[in-house]
Each structure stands twice: as C-alpha cells, then as structure tokens.
Amino acid sequence: MPELPEVETVVRGLAPALTGARLLAIEALFPEQLEGPPALYQRASGALIEGVRRKGKYILLDLVPPAGARQQKSAPRHLRLMIHLGMTGKLLLSKASEPLEKHTHAILHFRRSGGSGQLRYVDPRRFGRFVLGAAGAESDPERLVAGGREPLEIDAAEMAALFHGRSGPIKNLLLNQNLLRGLGNIYADESLFRAGIHPRARRLSRPRLYRLHGAVREVLAEAIAAGGSSISDYVGSSGEKGWFQVRHRVYGRTGEPCLRCGTPLRRVVLAGRSAHFCPRCQKQK
DNA sequence: ATGCTACCCTGGCAGC
DNA sequence: TGCTGCCAGGGTAGCA
C-alpha cells in the first residue's frame, strides 16, 4: 500500500527516465479508469515532460504540449497528469517487448535521447486515480491534493501547533491528509510505536507531540532509504521491491511479542483501519 | 467543524 | 479440488 515512502521511491525512479522526455501518446486500455477530457489526452501527445514530482501520496507530471497544440485558442499552455496509486497501483517503466500485466489501464509512450520506452499504469483494485487536466485551471488535478503539510518539511513546533486543540484520537489525526499528507496506516502505526504513544491517545502534551514529530521523520526517512515497504504487491518503477517491511515493529504483527518488552501486540480499529500497537509500551497519557 | 459508516474493487486466504 | 465468504484499506460521500 503506497504511502509517502513508496510514492517517493516511485518518483525517484521515474524522474531520471522521464524528465525531459517527449510524451508520444497516452494509450487508454481501460478508459473508465482515466479521468479528464479526451481532448486533453489528444493534446498531451507530443508534450515535453518537464518534471515528475511527489506531493503527499500523489505523483504529478508537468507537461508542456508542443507549440502547435499550444497556439489553439483557449488551449491551456501546460497540462498536468496526476496519479494516485491507491492500494494496489503501480507505475512501471517497461520496454514495448515486455508482456502486459493484467489490469494495465494505460500506457504512456515516450521517447528520449536514449531511445523509446513505456510507462505502464497498473491497478487491479482500481482504488487509484489517473487524472489529466490543465495546469492552473479549474481542472488542474493538483487541486485534488489534500492541503496538509509535508511531514518531512514541517518542524516540531509547527506540528505541535497543528495538532494542538484537536480532540480526536492521535491515530485518526495522523491519517488526516488535511493535517499531514503522506502518512498511511503502516507509517502512522510505526511512528506511534516509536514515540510510545497509544493510537487512541487524545490531546497530546507538547513534549509528546515533539517526540511524535521526531518518530514520524525517523520512520519515513528509514523507509525511504529502504525503498519503501513491499506488502501486498507494492514495487518500485523498475519492479523492485522495498524491504522496510522487515523493520516493521508493530504493523501486521498482531499477537506477536513486542520487540521491546515481549508483550503480545494488539489490534484495534480506528478510523475504519486496523491500528497495531503494544499495550505496554504505548501509553494513553 | 467533527466524526462516524459505507462504499468502491480484486486477490489472497481460511474453512468446509 | 473448488467453492464461498471474509478481509485488506486510501479517499470520499453521505449522514448524524
């Protein structure tokens, strides 16, 4: 399940291959899954891929259409493609000769100095999104990105201020993309364990919020360095697996002994998601 | 504003 | 062996 570290890994894999490349066409194999006006998909043909970015769990491709397409009246100058991987989405750099994976919904054909290639968008469960729109316009898909802060950019005092006065369980707050964007179930649970905070804890004191801030940064940085967590079927843009899952201390370990104190780990449901925690190491107050 | 539940969807697995 | 049923959860809609 791609969260910030997985999406960051994908973007780091895509950027060198796609930045400066020419998008030849977007081939729609399952058009129902692709959002945005069909005319824009036409206009994207021949566009320069100016950049590949991550914002929260979203991947953004900035596209500059060729001059001819740009000069049409009312035609937007720049286009933007936004991809959210949902639970099972993948973006794979492939050669045309490689066999198509099941549930491939779109193929981006591109060409660069080194030759031609494909970027394939695969999403069996279709929880992901693939949206093309005009940059800066009403339809700009970047507007769909939640307004939370980047957890690796916010400092401890800012995060404490952001969370202060919120009444909900801390786990719910960590999953709220309008506060911090990029944390999902795995890294929220892992961060809370490292900070010694119970997922149901509310109205955390300032020192505990500072500790949580440090834990979030630490977990995300380690996970990015490890190439993300390959649970379910996550892989990077070259099909490579991450290995942070072997360092998970609570996620998916219900009933197993806590690595710190040996107490069996427990699971409760919060915000409709499983929260994994150590009942002894993680305190409500 | 806030917080819940339901829903979208397929693959993997347990149980019979 | 093959079927059924349940579970995983990111994000959003609809409701209290």
Side-chain angles (χ1 to χ4, degrees):
Chain A
M1 42 220 70
E3 304 178 23
L4 188 152
E6 289 75 30
V7 178
E8 181 67 25
T9 301
V10 169
V11 166
R12 290 184 186 185
L14 295 181
L18 294 182
T19 306
R22 187 69 59 182
L23 180 60
L24 301 177
I26 301 174
E27 183 183 354
L29 301 179
F30 184 55
E32 296 94 317
Q33 190 67 15
L34 312 185
E35 304 174 52
L40 283 193
Y41 279 84
Q42 291 302 317
R43 201 170 296 156
S45 295
L48 171 74
I49 304 174
E50 203 177 37
V52 185
R53 302 179 280 139
R54 177 190 64 76
K55 217 168 165 181
K57 299 177 194 171
Y58 292 82
I59 297 160
L60 293 161
L61 269 65
D62 298 306
L63 306 174
V64 185
R70 219 159 53 217
Q71 280 160 4
Q72 291 169 22
K73 276 177 206 151
S74 78
R77 281 208 179 84
H78 289 201
L79 301 177
R80 199 143 24 231
L81 177 61
M82 189 210 75
I83 296 155
H84 191 288
L85 298 174
M87 287 284 297
T88 54
K90 289 188 277 190
L91 283 173
L92 299 171
L93 288 167
S94 314
K95 289 177 184 151
S97 57
E98 292 175 70
L100 268 196
E101 243 183 81
K102 203 177 167 186
H103 305 295
T104 302
H105 299 153
I107 302 176
L108 274 67
H109 298 264
F110 66 89
R111 187 179 59 214
R112 54 174 300 121
S113 50
S116 61
Q118 300 187 349
L119 180 67
R120 298 178 180 178
Y121 170 60
V122 183
D123 186 9
R125 268 159 81 178
R126 296 188 226 154
F127 276 28
R129 295 185 74 178
F130 186 106
V131 191
L132 181 66
E138 192 71 29
S139 67
D140 191 340
E142 192 163 357
R143 289 171 177 238
L144 296 171
V145 178
R149 298 284 308 274
E150 285 289 329
L152 290 174
E153 291 171 9
I154 193 170
D155 71 31
E158 290 172 323
M159 182 167 145
L162 187 63
F163 281 40
H164 190 77
R166 303 249 166 194
S167 59
I170 187 63
K171 171 72 185 280
N172 299 35
L173 301 185
L174 288 177
L175 292 177
N176 184 343
Q177 303 295 303
N178 288 304
L179 298 174
L180 295 180
R181 58 180 186 218
L183 286 179
N185 211 32
I186 296 173
Y187 299 106
D189 281 0
E190 293 298 320
S191 298
L192 287 169
F193 173 79
R194 293 200 190 194
I197 297 168
H198 195 288
R200 272 205 230 273
R202 296 169 187 263
R203 298 190 181 282
L204 297 180
S205 67
R206 203 172 183 75
R208 299 189 87 197
L209 284 171
Y210 271 62
R211 210 184 322 153
L212 181 57
H213 172 263
V216 167
R217 293 181 66 92
E218 183 184 285
V219 165
L220 293 179
E222 284 181 29
I224 290 171
S229 301
S230 283
I231 304 195
S232 156
D233 48 5
Y234 165 76
V235 291
S237 58
S238 303
E240 81 285 6
K241 293 192 178 215
W243 51 273
F244 193 70
Q245 65 280 3
V246 305
R247 304 243 295 270
H248 291 174
R249 299 183 191 170
V250 287
Y251 184 84
R253 298 191 62 241
T254 309
E256 294 177 40
C258 171
L259 297 172
R260 222 178 112 217
C261 76
T263 304
L265 299 178
R266 291 190 48 206
R267 187 185 81 97
V268 294
V269 175
L270 275 170
R273 307 281 178 264
S274 294
H276 312 76
F277 67 102
C278 171
R280 186 161 165 203
C281 293
Q282 295 178 249
K283 309 264 193 282
Q284 299 245 17
K285 290 226 161 77

